Amino acid sequence: MSLAQQPPVQESPEPQIEYVDSCKLPMPWATFQMHGFIDKATGKEHIVLTLGDVGDGQPVLARVHSECLTGDALFSQRCDCGAQLETALQRIAKQGRGVLFYLRQEGRGIGLLNKVRAYHLQDDGADTVEANEKLGFPADMRRYDLCLPMIAHLHIKGLRLMTNNPKKIAALKSFGIDIVERIPLIVNRNPHNIGYLGTKVKKLGHMMPVDKE
């Protein structure tokens, strides 16, 4: 299928999040508890990593992180995702308490193979927003209502959210989630992602300084 022959975007069904099970997950910084959830509406599997008592009623240091295989697992320098994931986990470990929601929303919701197509368009000069739109997708298809049942299951009352994205904060607040503080997460600025980060600021409203390309 060529870049110009993408199927029309279909609206995702309402999430039906169910808790599956929990286990210990030793990591370089601490041993987290990993909680598995499945969205029965889409079949997608999500996880939440917690450290310490997150259900004690006090606001929790948190990161809501959407999957980025290229950045999280393959060390891509085209984005800042992998560095944000690692830094968030390090900060939680240092504090001894926190939560990380890992949502399977690759490429801002367009999926891995469409992300490859989007990267091809970026190689040819499009920015990250233009690439998604040329493929027939909105700039950002992620949804954050997925977090609601997970937060309820873990008895979390408020988040101290590590993010640069005001739209993420607004979306979570619109679902009744208490965001008591925003903590900047500005990491891994490098020559390969200056344009990408600049587009996130200029077109997606992220709160970061802008470097010249």
Side-chain angles (χ1 to χ4, degrees), residues 9-20:
V9 177
Q10 296 183 348
E11 196 166 317
S12 299
E14 287 300 310
Q16 301 173 28
I17 304 295
E18 291 186 9
Y19 168 71
V20 177

Side-chain angles (χ1 to χ4, degrees), residues 14 61 66-67 73 86-87 123 157 161 181 188 197 200:
E14 287 300 310
L61 181 63
S66 294
E67 178 183 36
E86 183 172 349
T87 301
D123 289 341
K157 300 303 181 184
L161 191 65
E181 181 183 3
N188 193 34
L197 296 177
K200 289 212 294 187

